[in-house]
Amino acid sequence: MHLTIASVILFAQLALGAPSAAAAPRNLRVVGASVLGSGCPYGTADVKADPSNTAFDIRLSDYVVRAGPNTMAADWRKNCKLTLNLEYDEGFQFATFATDMSGYASIPSGTQGHCSNTVDFTGGSRQACYDIDLNGGGAGAFSLSAKPDVVLWSPCGGSTAILNMNTQCWISDTDKPALIAVS
C-alpha cells in the first residue's frame, strides 16, 4: 500500500474567494504514524517517509486474505488502517494527492473478491472511497489507484490534522483455494 500526500495552500483570502499563489508552508511534520488492523498485526507494517515528509510508503508483510479449504471466517476479510498526525503552519490545508494500493489475487471461478480504500480527515464531514472487484476466474497483480485525487481537505482554521486511510479486502466463502495478498 502506498500513500502520497501533498500540501495544498488555502489562506483566509482563498476562503473569501481570492485565490493566492503563495509559497508552500515552511513547516510540515508528521508527529505520529500508526497502523492497526487484522491485515497489519504488530510488527508486520513498515511506514517510511521521504525526506520532505510529504510522501509515505507503507509495506505490509502479512496482509493476506484467504478462503477455501481449512480457512475460517476471520481469514476471509482483513483490514489495515493508517493514521498520520500532521502539524503544519497555520493558514494551510492539506489534501491527499494520490493513493496506490497494490497486490496479487487468485480468485477461482464463481467466487467474488473485493478491495477498498477509504480516506478521510478526522473531524471532516466527507470521505473518499475507491474500490476494485476481483471476481473469479483469474490470477495476477492488481492495483487500486487514485491519481491525482484532491477531493478531501483537512479542516480549516488550524495547524494540525489527522489523516486516516482504511483499506479492506474480502473474499466470499468458497470450497476452492482463493487468495488476496496486499503488498
Side-chain angles (χ1 to χ4, degrees):
M1 171 175 48
H2 307 277
L3 170 66
T4 303
I5 62 170
S7 60
V8 179
I9 300 168
L10 181 69
F11 287 110
Q13 299 94 330
L14 182 56
L16 297 173
S20 174
R26 289 183 311 225
N27 299 304
L28 167 61
R29 293 185 328 137
V30 175
V31 294
S34 63
V35 291
L36 176 67
S38 57
C40 52
Y42 181 78
T44 66
D46 183 30
V47 181
K48 291 186 180 177
D50 75 346
S52 71
N53 269 348
T54 60
F56 298 86
D57 187 46
I58 300 94
R59 295 289 173 186
L60 305 169
S61 62
D62 198 28
Y63 197 147
V64 180
V65 181
R66 298 179 196 282
N70 302 315
T71 63
M72 300 183 311
D75 300 324
W76 307 341
R77 181 190 174 281
K78 302 287 181 174
N79 82 302
C80 185
K81 181 178 181 181
L82 167 69
T83 300
L84 295 175
N85 297 315
L86 307 171
E87 286 184 355
Y88 45 88
D89 296 338
E90 196 167 321
F92 288 83
Q93 280 187 288
F94 289 85
T96 59
F97 182 72
T99 61
D100 296 303
M101 179 176 146
S102 59
Y104 175 85
S106 177
I107 311 292
S109 293
T111 304
Q112 296 178 335
H114 186 84
C115 289
S116 66
N117 184 3
T118 303
V119 181
D120 67 59
F121 285 96
T122 298
S125 61
R126 296 185 55 203
Q127 61 179 212
C129 187
Y130 310 97
D131 298 276
I132 186 169
D133 288 322
L134 303 167
N135 292 328
F142 71 88
S143 179
L144 176 56
S145 299
K147 295 180 190 176
D149 175 48
V150 182
V151 297
L152 295 173
W153 295 90
S154 61
C156 291
S159 60
T160 63
I162 300 172
L163 176 64
N164 305 295
M165 186 170 116
N166 190 21
T167 65
Q168 63 178 324
C169 294
W170 58 262
I171 302 172
S172 62
D173 186 18
T174 181
D175 59 353
K176 300 172 188 165
L179 168 89
I180 298 173
V182 177
S183 55

